[in-house]
């Protein structure tokens, strides 16, 4: 009997490798049914993916893992994610998924990596993950160009009043060319302040240079060696607000930066200042921004990120001509999204197979 | 000696008018609307200088109405296709434009339009306002990043050069240009190619040339058929350079990817024009130089041009 069992086990292992999840075997007249699912999970870790994502990532996961997925374009409802994470070894999530205590404890003991398909990780409870020894993977670098480019596109849309132009074309208020109609503000000779000279902030500053900006300032926790390449001057937050014609939010959202842009901040800015945020909506007190724009404390604003997302159509910010709001398309290119999916998958597979994680949140 | 008479056909920044008033007697059509034709013909009579905009058609009729006193026409623009330059030359009337002071502003707007079109900002704005955007989705509203792409400039003048310089840090792989001659300041930035090569190789094409007999309608069905079907066409030069019916067909049939137009025929484009219905056609109301600084500089420059000729 022992011999038969052993060969049976060998048979089942071989079957798993060739992908037979279930198989029946006739041994001494007795039909033995062995579900290989439990066997498989010991060989192939289980990963739950919370959305339909580019194939590059899924294909990579499937090579090494057993993948279950919320295969829809829309965000996964809360009860579905709680259902889906039960017993998994890895979790592939998006910035729309709140990964908190409840999700982690529902997932259970097997969970040993969370990978987010984003560079922001404010939606993941890092301390809860640390407590459980769960590393968190994220996707910096691969989306930097796309996001910096979108930041520039948004900045120019605001500074050159393009939203108003597009509207005038569509609603018939476009008359003939007039010298002073719909005049905006050029970048030529401007001082630009980058709040957070990280990967994206630096990439934005590089793109600003040939537009003839006279000075690039930046602020943050510490000076950055990379600033010498631009060059950009390290200043206090207050000095940046005081001196800048354009203020660009590029820093991560955390406990220190939540609500960083509030009534006081806007009052410290120039009256002709243009504020751009492509980081996270939580950086901005939106009621204060509305007031500042309405009262002329600052000239105009452009937001790719808001609280919540999407911003409700009835939100006061959407009534202002000097406020441009985009539906969070910072990294919306095929190239970036493919790369984000693939990197997220690589982070997860590396963690599950005991290898160094390519991009882990420190 | 009486001061020379100058007619200004529109409301323009004071700084320019002050310069004119020092040396001339200035009559201003102080309105944001175009000076009516009959008013122009009446007032231009006996004037020595004419300060106009692109909306004023300065043809034989206007030149005749002005009479032999007219010495200089200063247009607050770079383009001069609204002026019968040939006839002015024959009558020894100087035509002055405002290059250089407007180039940066126009190049900046061209890049803005390029980015807005390739990254589908107009669709994004509309989706948010109409409540159809939803929350963040990995595969929604994906645009084209400029990094690694080939940029083609049709007409490597001041604006074309300004676009090329600004696009470099976006990581474009190659910049090509088509022009009548080898442009010296293109060295190190862009390579000269034939029109057909430009069409075939470019992922993004920016039209930056003047309107001439050679360039009118040059972007037509034939040209579009030679372009990549993912190509993006940007026009901030003059509307006549594109055959708009052919453009509409090209967009509808996915012959090219998308278009961004700051200039059209006519301006304004009628609300029922087919291009207005194209999702992948972004249309701006000829904003080209719409910064306070640029318009101020153009106005001052035009005034200086006129005074220089009359003084």
């Amino acid at each position: 009997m022992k011999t038969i069992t052993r060969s049976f086990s060998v048979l089942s292992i071989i079957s798993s490798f060739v992908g037979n999840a279930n198989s029946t075997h006739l041994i001494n007249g007795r039909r033995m049914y062995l579900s290989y699912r439990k066997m498989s999970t010991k060989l192939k870790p289980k990963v739950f993916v919370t959305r339909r994502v580019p194939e590059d990532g899924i294909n990579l996961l499937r090579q090494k893992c057993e993948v279950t997925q919320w295969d829809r374009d829309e965000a996964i409802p809360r009860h579905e994610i709680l259902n889906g994470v039960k017993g998994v070894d890895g979790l592939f999530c998006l910035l729309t998924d709140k990964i908190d205590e409840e999700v982690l404890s529902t997932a259970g003991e097997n969970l040993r990596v969370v990978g987010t398909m984003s560079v922001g990780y404010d939606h993941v409870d890092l301390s809860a993950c640390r407590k459980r020894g769960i590393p968190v993977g994220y996707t910096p670098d691969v989306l930097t160009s796309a996001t910096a480019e979108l930041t520039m596109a948004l900045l120019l849309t605001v500074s050159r009043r393009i939203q108003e132009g597009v509207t005038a074309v569509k609603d018939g208020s476009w008359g003939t060319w007039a010298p002073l109609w719909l005049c905006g503000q050029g970048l030529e000779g401007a001082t630009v302040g980058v709040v957070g000279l990280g990967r994206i902030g630096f990439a934005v500053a590089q793109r600003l240079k040939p537009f003839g900006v006279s000075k690039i300032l930046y602020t943050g926790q510490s000076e950055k060696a990379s600033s010498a390449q631009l060059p950009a001057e390290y200043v206090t937050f207050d000095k940046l607000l005081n001196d800048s014609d354009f203020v660009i939010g590029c820093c991560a959202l955390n406990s220190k930066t939540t609500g960083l842009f509030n009534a006081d901040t806007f009052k410290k800015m120039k009256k002709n200042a243009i504020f751009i945020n492509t980081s996270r909506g939580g950086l901005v007190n939106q009621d204060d921004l509305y007031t500042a724009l309405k009262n002329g404390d600052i000239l105009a604003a452009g937001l790719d990120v808001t609280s919540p997302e999407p911003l409700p159509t009835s939100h006061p910010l959407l009534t202002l001509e000097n406020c441009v709001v985009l539906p969070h398309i910072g990294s919306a290119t095929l190239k970036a999204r493919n790369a984000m999916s693939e990197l997220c998958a690589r982070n997860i597979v590396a963690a599950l197979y005991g290898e160094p994680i390519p991009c882990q949140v420190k | 000696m009486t001061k020379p008479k100058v007619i200004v056909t529109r409301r323009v920044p004071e700084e320019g008018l002050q310069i004119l008033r020092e040396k001339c007697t200035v009559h201003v059509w102080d309105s944001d609307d175009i000076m009516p034709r009959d008013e122009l013909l009446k007032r231009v009579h006996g004037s020595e200088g004419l300060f106009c905009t692109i909306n004023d058609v300065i043809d034989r009729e206007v030149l005749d109405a002005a009479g032999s006193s007219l010495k200089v026409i200063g247009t607050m623009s770079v383009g001069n296709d609204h002026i019968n330059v040939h006839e002015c030359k024959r009558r020894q009337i100087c035509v002055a434009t405002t290059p250089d002071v407007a180039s940066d502003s126009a190049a900046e707007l061209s890049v803005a339009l390029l980015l807005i079109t390739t990254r589908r900002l107009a669709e994004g704005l509309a989706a948010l306002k109409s409540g159809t955007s939803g929350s963040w989705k990995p595969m929604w509203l994906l645009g084209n990043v400029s990094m690694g792409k080939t940029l083609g400039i049709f007409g490597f003048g001041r604006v074309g050069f300004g676009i090329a310089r600004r696009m470099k840090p976006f990581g474009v792989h190659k910049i090509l240009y088509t022009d009548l001659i080898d442009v010296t300041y293109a060295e190190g930035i862009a390579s000269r190619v034939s029109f057909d090569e430009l069409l075939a190789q470019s992922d993004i094409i920016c039209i930056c040339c003047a309107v001439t007999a050679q360039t009118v309608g040059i972007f037509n069905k034939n040209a579009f058929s030679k372009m990549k079907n993912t190509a993006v066409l940007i026009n901030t030069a003059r509307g006549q350079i594109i055959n708009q019916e052919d453009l509409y067909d090209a967009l509808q049939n996915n012959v090219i990817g998308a278009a961004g137009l700051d200039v059209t025929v006519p301006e304004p484009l009628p609300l029922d024009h087919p291009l207005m219905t194209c999702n992948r056609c972004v249309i701006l109301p000829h904003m080209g130089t719409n910064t306070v600084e640029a318009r101020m500089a153009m106005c001052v420059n035009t005034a200086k041009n006129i005074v220089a000729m009359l003084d």
Side-chain angles (χ1 to χ4, degrees), chain A residues 85-114:
Chain A
V85 299
K86 285 184 187 139
V88 301
D89 303 285
L91 177 58
F92 182 130
C93 71
L94 270 50
L95 59 91
T96 41
D97 308 311
K98 197 169 156 67
I99 309 303
D100 55 11
E101 269 294 340
E102 192 185 16
V103 169
L104 298 173
S105 59
T106 307
E109 293 291 304
N110 288 346
L111 185 66
R112 35 189 207 288
V113 62
V114 170

Side-chain angles (χ1 to χ4, degrees), chain A residues 51-54 73-75 94-96 117-118 145-150 152-154 156-157 159-188 203 206-212 306 309-313 318-320 323-335 337-338 340, chain B residues 10-13 32-34 53-55 76 104-109 111-113 115-116 118-125 127-148 162 165-171 262-264 266-269 271 276-278 281-293 295 298:
Chain A
R51 198 80 77 91
R52 180 176 294 154
V53 295
D73 289 322
E74 288 71 38
L94 270 50
L95 59 91
T96 41
M117 188 180 143
S118 59
S145 312
T147 309
E149 183 180 81
L150 190 282
M152 286 298 297
L154 178 57
L156 290 165
T157 300
S159 68
R160 299 300 292 264
R161 301 179 66 180
I162 290 177
Q163 176 174 249
E164 289 170 85
V166 169
T167 303
V169 169
K170 292 264 152 106
D171 72 9
S173 58
W174 174 19
T176 45
W177 190 89
L180 296 170
W181 182 62
L182 220 53
C183 278
Q185 183 163 285
L187 276 165
E188 190 82 24
Q206 280 182 310
R207 283 154 177 75
L208 280 165
K209 284 179 62 178
F211 286 85
T306 54
E309 284 174 14
L311 202 61
T313 53
L318 293 177
T319 64
L320 298 174
C323 188
V324 177
V325 186
L326 286 173
H328 198 164
I329 52 173
S331 63
T333 68
L334 192 62
K335 194 170 167 190
R337 294 289 165 82
N338 276 342
M340 286 156 71
Chain B
R10 198 77 80 85
R11 179 177 294 152
V12 294
D32 287 327
D33 297 324
I34 302 172
T53 70
I54 58 168
N55 304 114
M76 193 175 141
D104 285 319
S105 183
E108 185 180 277
L109 191 281
V111 172
L113 182 55
L115 294 173
I116 284 155
T118 55
R119 295 298 299 269
R120 303 174 69 183
L121 263 71
E123 288 173 80
L125 295 176
L128 190 70
K129 289 233 158 136
S130 66
T132 55
S133 64
S135 59
W136 193 90
K137 293 184 195 62
M139 306 302 285
W140 181 67
L141 210 59
L142 299 186
N144 289 315
V145 74
S146 293
M147 181 156 283
R165 274 198 320 112
R166 284 165 177 77
M167 286 307 294
K168 282 205 83 178
F170 286 85
D262 186 43
V263 286
T264 55
E267 287 173 14
L269 199 63
L271 290 176
M276 290 283 205
T277 63
C278 274
C281 187
V282 179
I283 301 172
L284 299 184
H286 198 158
M287 302 175 94
T289 54
N290 76 326
T291 61
V292 174
E293 302 91 349
R295 294 289 166 81
M298 286 157 72

Side-chain angles (χ1 to χ4, degrees), chain A residues 169-281:
Chain A
V169 169
K170 292 264 152 106
D171 72 9
S173 58
W174 174 19
T176 45
W177 190 89
L180 296 170
W181 182 62
L182 220 53
C183 278
Q185 183 163 285
L187 276 165
E188 190 82 24
T191 296
V192 179
V194 179
V195 180
L197 201 71
R199 287 166 292 258
I200 294 169
F202 181 79
V204 172
Q206 280 182 310
R207 283 154 177 75
L208 280 165
K209 284 179 62 178
F211 286 85
V213 298
S214 70
K215 224 187 325 182
I216 300 174
L217 308 174
Y218 76 99
T219 193
Q221 299 276 67
S222 58
E223 281 197 68
K224 300 271 182 175
S226 59
S227 67
Q229 293 173 45
L230 292 165
E233 189 190 337
Y234 183 58
V235 296
T236 61
F237 187 46
D238 279 2
K239 179 150 170 75
L240 185 144
L241 297 173
N242 188 60
D243 290 4
S244 299
D245 302 295
F246 293 83
V247 176
I248 310 176
C250 296
C251 56
L253 178 65
N254 52 44
S255 54
K256 291 200 189 80
T257 60
T258 299
L260 182 66
F261 290 93
N262 52 38
D264 281 339
T265 323
F266 297 126
K267 284 229 156 35
K268 288 175 185 171
M269 285 165 63
K270 291 172 143 182
K271 286 222 183 299
N272 70 304
I274 288 175
F275 171 60
I276 304 296
N277 186 23
T278 54
S279 158
R280 281 289 181 270

Side-chain angles (χ1 to χ4, degrees), chain B residues 173-188:
Chain B
H173 167 63
K174 227 187 331 181
I175 303 179
L176 309 172
Y177 77 95
T178 294
D179 210 309
L180 297 172
I181 49 161
D182 276 336
V183 179
T184 48
Y185 50 80
E187 210 169 319

